[in-house]
Amino acid sequence: MHARPAAKIAEMTMGAKGNIWLSDGVSTVDASSIIDILTLCAVTGTRISIHVENKGDTLLAEELKAFFDMGFGEQINE
């Protein structure tokens, strides 16, 4: 994952009611920190799970999932 989608994810989580975490199954990082997100070193195809601490952030988690599912709005060059 590059800096641009990491920045967008951090921006999306700014209004969260609680902490939101991203995990690749090995590491878990704060979704509001661009640097933390980049430390996941997630490449295309990496499975990322989203964890919310506050049930009020469920909709935000769904929006994050949609952002991941659409490839961060970027075209993938293969």
Side-chain angles (χ1 to χ4, degrees):
M1 182 182 315
H2 298 284
R4 187 175 24 225
K8 179 65 178 173
I9 292 166
E11 178 186 321
M12 291 173 74
T13 61
M14 288 179 68
K17 295 174 175 61
N19 291 324
I20 298 180
W21 306 98
L22 302 178
S23 177
D24 64 358
V26 176
S27 300
T28 300
V29 300
D30 181 353
S32 67
S33 167
I34 296 169
I35 299 299
D36 275 17
I37 296 168
L38 292 175
T39 64
L40 283 177
C41 299
V43 296
T44 302
T46 302
R47 294 184 59 93
I48 300 291
S49 57
I50 303 165
H51 306 273
V52 296
E53 288 184 346
N54 186 311
K55 290 182 180 181
D57 291 325
T58 301
L59 179 60
L60 181 55
E62 291 173 9
E63 291 172 359
L64 285 171
K65 181 184 179 309
F67 185 61
F68 277 87
D69 289 347
M70 68 176 213
F72 311 118
E74 298 179 345
Q75 290 190 343
I76 298 171
N77 296 323
E78 294 185 34

